[in-house]
Amino acid sequence: MSLTQELLAILATRPGIAILTGAGLSAESGVPTFREAQSGLWAKFSPQELATPEAFADNPQRVWDWYRWRRELVSRAEPNPAHLAIAELEAGLPCCQLVTQNVDGLLQRAGARQVTELHGNLWRQKCAAGCGAVQTVNVPGHDALPRCQRCNALMRPDVVWFGETLSQAALADAGAAIKAAGIVIVCGTSNLVYPAAALPLEALRMGKTVVEINPARTPLSSNVPFYIGETASNALPAIAQELLQAST
Ligand code: BV8
Ligand code: ZN
């Protein structure tokens, strides 16, 4: 019995899929993952050093320059076949919920309609003084540090930095997505960053069938019934096509 036939047999009695994704999903779009050393000007920094409130307080210009560099890089990137396959699964299956750690917005650009973004979004910025102002941008931004139009404090990227708590609503949505699913596909994440990395473990505890897609093994790999040692773009389109064909 092929993997997809096994998945279809599971879905026949326990319908619904949740797809949890990380930086590896965007790797084939040319967006570097957090594991990869950064390039050029950013080579001497690790994301953990830049994606923190302390780094922003200490040197807001450097942190903003990094986010502008990432926005420029993402604006030149295109959704890859894995993003498109996930968007097709969401549109074509009766119950398919998407949860991502990524902040690049590429799943939405691939056509996904509802994405739970555990760590925020690169293309939103919010008032660093907490007055509540939030702005969506579609261009990388300028050299000058953006200021809040309401209170003139600095704006900051609307992402969850290391040491910051995730939105309870996003975590609740992610938990509900897993609860409603018979199968949980975990793709492109090193499963090292918490509390996001706790979600696949929660799925296993709930007795869900967890499928991991990652060319490298992670701390999750030995605990799942299906580990696919391939890239997202190699594995997901074929699985999506067979699941969608069977659902028509
Ligand atoms: C928090 C947004 C309360 C910013 C990001 C225990 C419990 C709770 C917290 C902690 C804990 N232990 C430690 C902590 C603190 C910390 C943490 O987990 N640290 C880690 C480093 C140990 N967690 C937090 O701070 C979280 N906050 O819990 O608040 C608290 C606070 C303090 C202390 C205790 C509790 C907030 C975490 C969110 C941080 N923000 N992003 C921005 O983007 O600028 S995290 C960021 O890094 C990403 O969003 C992502 O989540 C993470 C990187 O992980 P991945 O997505 O997995 O990417 P990675 O590069 O690691 O791996 C890529 C994978 O893809 C690899 O496996 C590779 O093999 C694979 N791959 C490569 N190519 C492909 C591929 N796969 C498929 N196809 C391919 N082609
Ligand atoms: Zn403000």
Side-chain angles (χ1 to χ4, degrees), residues 37-46:
Q38 299 205 98
S39 61
L41 173 65
W42 304 106
K44 58 181 180 290
F45 297 101
S46 93

Side-chain angles (χ1 to χ4, degrees), residues 19-26 34-35 70 98-108 115-122 158-162 166 170-171 174 185-200 212 214 218 220:
I19 306 179
L20 311 184
T21 53
L25 175 68
S26 300
F34 282 72
R35 294 305 106 197
R70 289 172 67 193
L98 311 182
V99 179
T100 191
Q101 297 171 69
N102 298 342
V103 297
D104 56 33
L106 285 175
L107 271 171
Q108 293 89 327
V115 183
T116 296
E117 295 179 307
L118 294 171
H119 296 156
N121 188 294
L122 202 54
D158 188 11
V159 297
V160 180
W161 278 330
F162 287 98
L166 280 64
L171 278 173
I185 297 177
V186 182
C187 178
T189 176
S190 58
N191 292 297
L192 294 173
V193 173
Y194 283 82
L199 293 168
E212 183 183 27
N214 194 323
T218 75
L220 182 70

